[in-house]
Amino acid sequence: EDQVTQSPEALRLQEGESSSLNCSYTVSGLRGLFWYRQDPGKGPEFLFTLYSAGEEKEKERLKATLTKKESFLHITAPKPEDSATYLCAVPLRSGSARQLTFGSGTQLTVLP
Amino acid sequence: NAGVTQTPKFQVLKTGQSMTLQCAQDMNHNSMYWYRQDPGMGLRLIYYSASEGTTDKGEVPNGYNVSRLNKREFSLRLESAAPSQTSVYFCASSALAGTENSPLHFGNGTRLTVT
């Protein structure tokens, strides 16, 4: 069964303490892996798409990497404004459109 | 540029009542989606519309109906609300359907409670 699993469920970091979030997937024929950021009371905001193993993308303090079984979101020297829930998702082709299957997210708290 | 706008932001219904959640996008996107988000379960697709004039079921369509009113608007209707439909509902749009290089843009959600 195709699925997406994120770990840990919650992560508390001190400001400046680097760490990584994990997204593991079991999907045959991966057609991209998406990372989103979600702030409380808001909708998810797109961060990255990764397509092939070995690919990396960066945005400010965030770097996303992809292997054949998982993706990591590395957060370098985080700041309190990086606190949010981070979601990963993979597309499952169905009918005429892509259906994204989302993980349940990692809630990141960065303490000042 | 508002992006994806959802109304209402909050709603409380009694079991058996009906309501329609409204969604509009101003990005000239072809595809629109309705998701629900529940604690510990992630976002789950209810219905989507790949293009104007088409709709299709997602993972959890039971108890819902949709209407793609025009290219901009996609509504979600609960005909007879049940407590299990208490959730946060998100509308999203994307430029293209069926391609991966077309990220979803989400609205800020409707928080629905069914008592």
Side-chain angles (χ1 to χ4, degrees):
Chain A
E1 179 184 353
D2 295 333
Q3 62 179 5
V4 180
T5 305
Q6 291 188 247
S7 62
E9 290 185 10
L11 181 63
R12 292 167 67 91
L13 300 173
Q14 290 296 134
E15 184 172 2
E17 180 187 1
S18 301
S19 187
S20 298
L21 314 182
N22 177 265
C23 172
S24 62
Y25 60 90
T26 53
V27 175
S28 56
L30 183 69
R31 299 173 67 87
L33 185 141
F34 295 75
W35 281 99
Y36 286 82
R37 168 188 171 131
Q38 186 173 21
D39 293 301
K42 302 290 187 182
E45 178 184 351
F46 172 72
L47 292 173
F48 307 110
T49 309
L50 302 166
Y51 291 102
S52 56
E55 187 176 0
E56 298 183 353
K57 288 193 176 174
E58 291 188 61
K59 180 178 182 179
E60 296 181 356
R61 295 174 292 282
L62 301 177
K63 183 170 78 172
T65 61
L66 183 66
T67 72
K68 289 186 178 180
K69 293 185 178 181
E70 57 193 347
S71 177
F72 293 94
L73 185 65
H74 307 278
I75 303 175
T76 302
K79 298 182 177 182
E81 53 261 42
D82 294 321
S83 297
T85 296
Y86 291 86
L87 304 168
C88 70
V90 296
L92 302 179
R93 187 81 178 216
S94 177
S96 60
R98 173 191 72 229
Q99 295 193 34
L100 279 184
T101 295
F102 282 83
S104 55
T106 294
Q107 184 175 4
L108 174 67
T109 303
V110 182
L111 303 171
Chain B
N1 190 348
V4 179
T5 302
Q6 293 184 236
T7 55
K9 289 183 170 56
F10 301 93
Q11 185 71 48
V12 179
L13 292 178
K14 294 185 177 180
T15 298
Q17 288 185 319
S18 63
M19 78 161 295
T20 300
L21 282 65
Q22 306 286 353
C23 175
Q25 53 91 8
D26 62 3
M27 295 173 284
N28 200 34
H29 283 172
N30 289 303
S31 301
M32 298 185 74
Y33 310 78
W34 278 105
Y35 284 86
R36 61 178 289 174
Q37 187 173 39
D38 302 291
M41 300 196 71
L43 285 152
R44 292 180 292 169
L45 184 65
I46 305 171
Y47 271 94
Y48 63 91
S49 171
S51 61
E52 188 178 356
T54 69
T55 61
D56 212 339
K57 295 178 181 179
E59 180 185 356
V60 289
N62 292 343
Y64 305 96
N65 286 300
V66 291
S67 295
R68 184 73 183 266
L69 304 171
N70 48 56
K71 190 172 184 179
R72 291 186 63 247
E73 298 173 288
F74 189 39
S75 64
L76 179 71
R77 182 161 178 84
L78 287 70
E79 290 291 351
S80 179
S84 61
Q85 294 178 306
T86 294
S87 187
V88 182
Y89 291 85
F90 287 99
C91 178
S93 69
S94 65
L96 299 172
T99 63
E100 284 62 47
N101 193 23
S102 181
L104 298 183
H105 297 260
F106 286 85
N108 284 328
T110 294
R111 284 143 188 83
L112 175 66
T113 301
V114 183
T115 61

